[in-house]
Amino acid sequence: MASASQKKASATTRRRAAARGLVRVEVQADRADAGLIRGLAETLRGEPDRARMLRSVLEQALGERGKRTAFDVFGSDLPEEAFEGVFGQPRQKGWREVDL
């Protein structure tokens, strides 16, 4: 259990980091990869030129997973006939009255 002064110190450190735009991230990784992940984090928050280059390489290697549209998630290459009868089903109950 942390003492009051330790809790205050931790809160102050986290507040200062948040003010600089940093967030705390915890990951579980293989022991052999721990040094690599620490090095990546240090580079990304360090020199802007090296960080920009590393981000570019990582985005290319990962295939830019973060940039997906709703169509990418819900879209399908199946023909429209595959969805017949799925979306056109009648409601089980009638419409409910709403007083606005």
Side-chain angles (χ1 to χ4, degrees):
M1 198 72 181
S3 67
S5 62
Q6 289 171 326
K7 289 179 186 177
K8 184 177 177 183
S10 293
T12 301
T13 300
R14 290 185 180 137
R15 195 174 331 110
R16 287 180 184 156
R20 293 189 336 236
L22 299 175
V23 295
R24 184 174 176 82
V25 178
E26 182 177 338
V27 296
Q28 291 185 348
D30 192 56
R31 185 179 304 272
D33 294 333
L36 174 65
I37 293 170
R38 286 186 186 106
L40 287 170
E42 186 176 334
T43 302
L44 289 172
R45 68 174 181 260
E47 297 177 36
D49 292 336
R50 288 187 68 195
R52 191 177 309 112
M53 186 175 66
L54 179 59
R55 279 187 199 97
S56 174
V57 170
L58 288 172
E59 286 173 354
Q60 288 176 359
L62 297 175
E64 297 185 31
R65 294 181 193 176
K67 297 181 181 179
R68 294 177 63 182
T69 65
F71 185 76
D72 294 333
V73 175
F74 298 111
S76 174
D77 293 333
L78 294 173
E80 290 186 25
E81 293 80 30
F83 298 99
E84 285 182 8
V86 175
F87 297 109
Q89 297 185 14
R91 293 182 177 267
Q92 298 296 328
K93 298 179 181 178
W95 291 93
R96 64 181 177 175
E97 294 294 323
V98 178
D99 186 22
L100 299 175

